[in-house]
Amino acid sequence: MRILILTITVAFALAGCMARPWTEHAYPAWGFAAAFPAPPVETDTSTPAVRGFAVTGSGEDKTLAIGVIDLTGVTKPDDQVMSEAIAAIAGGRPVTVAYWALGPADAQYMGRAAVIDRGAGLKMTLHVLVANRRLYQVSAVSLGSKSPKTEKFLDSFRIIEPAS
């Protein structure tokens, strides 16, 4: 009897420690979807001059976020828009930048991947992409280097409307 009670207690303890399943959340009005470990918070970030939207979530030591800015009327080249976005988000902090691709066979959309040193051991991994006249900024902030959960979040991001 004691073994049965102990087994049941251990089973409940292990069930409580199991990771919560990640769920994809789609935002058709903004043309993207991504998976989060818990329902994210949606925020309209629009100003009188620019339409914008953001979703933020967290998972253990991670802060997960996607920001979208409508580029309708912006005449700058996409490369310049992405470079300026990374510089603005980095805010003068140390940053390393590489090219990044998204889509079938990783070639449909070309963007930038950046790692920003936020100090005190915090790193922001950032993917920036222009698609369908929108600037997407997908980021995960974590303690130390990029983790499997950071990778899972960043890899879950996808454009859900055809390229214009």
Side-chain angles (χ1 to χ4, degrees):
M1 185 68 166
R2 287 184 192 169
I3 293 175
L4 178 62
I5 292 172
L6 180 60
T7 303
I8 292 171
T9 304
V10 169
F12 279 118
L14 289 174
C17 294
M18 292 177 64
R20 191 182 306 174
W22 287 52
T23 304
E24 182 177 81
H25 297 266
Y27 301 92
W30 288 94
F32 75 95
F36 289 85
V41 175
E42 301 174 16
T43 307
D44 182 349
T45 60
S46 298
T47 67
V50 178
R51 280 184 359 114
F53 177 73
V55 290
T56 55
S58 63
E60 295 178 20
D61 67 334
K62 315 290 178 247
T63 301
L64 314 171
I66 300 171
V68 187
I69 298 171
D70 184 348
L71 296 176
T72 302
V74 174
T75 58
K76 294 178 183 179
D78 293 350
D79 282 343
Q80 183 179 351
V81 169
M82 289 186 284
S83 293
E84 289 176 0
I86 292 170
I89 292 168
R93 294 181 191 97
V95 60
T96 56
V97 180
Y99 288 97
W100 169 72
L102 174 73
D106 288 330
Q108 187 170 6
Y109 303 102
M110 293 300 295
R112 305 276 172 79
V115 177
I116 302 167
D117 186 343
R118 306 270 310 257
L122 291 175
K123 302 278 187 201
M124 172 187 273
T125 304
L126 173 68
H127 289 178
V128 178
L129 167 75
V130 173
N132 303 320
R133 298 310 309 147
R134 294 183 184 115
L135 171 66
Y136 294 95
Q137 302 159 83
V138 185
S139 66
V141 176
S142 61
L143 191 56
S145 63
K146 195 167 25 172
S147 72
K149 290 181 181 167
T150 297
E151 290 284 345
K152 183 174 188 168
F153 171 68
L154 295 171
D155 290 346
S156 76
F157 174 81
R158 64 189 181 94
I159 301 296
I160 59 173
E161 60 186 23
S164 56

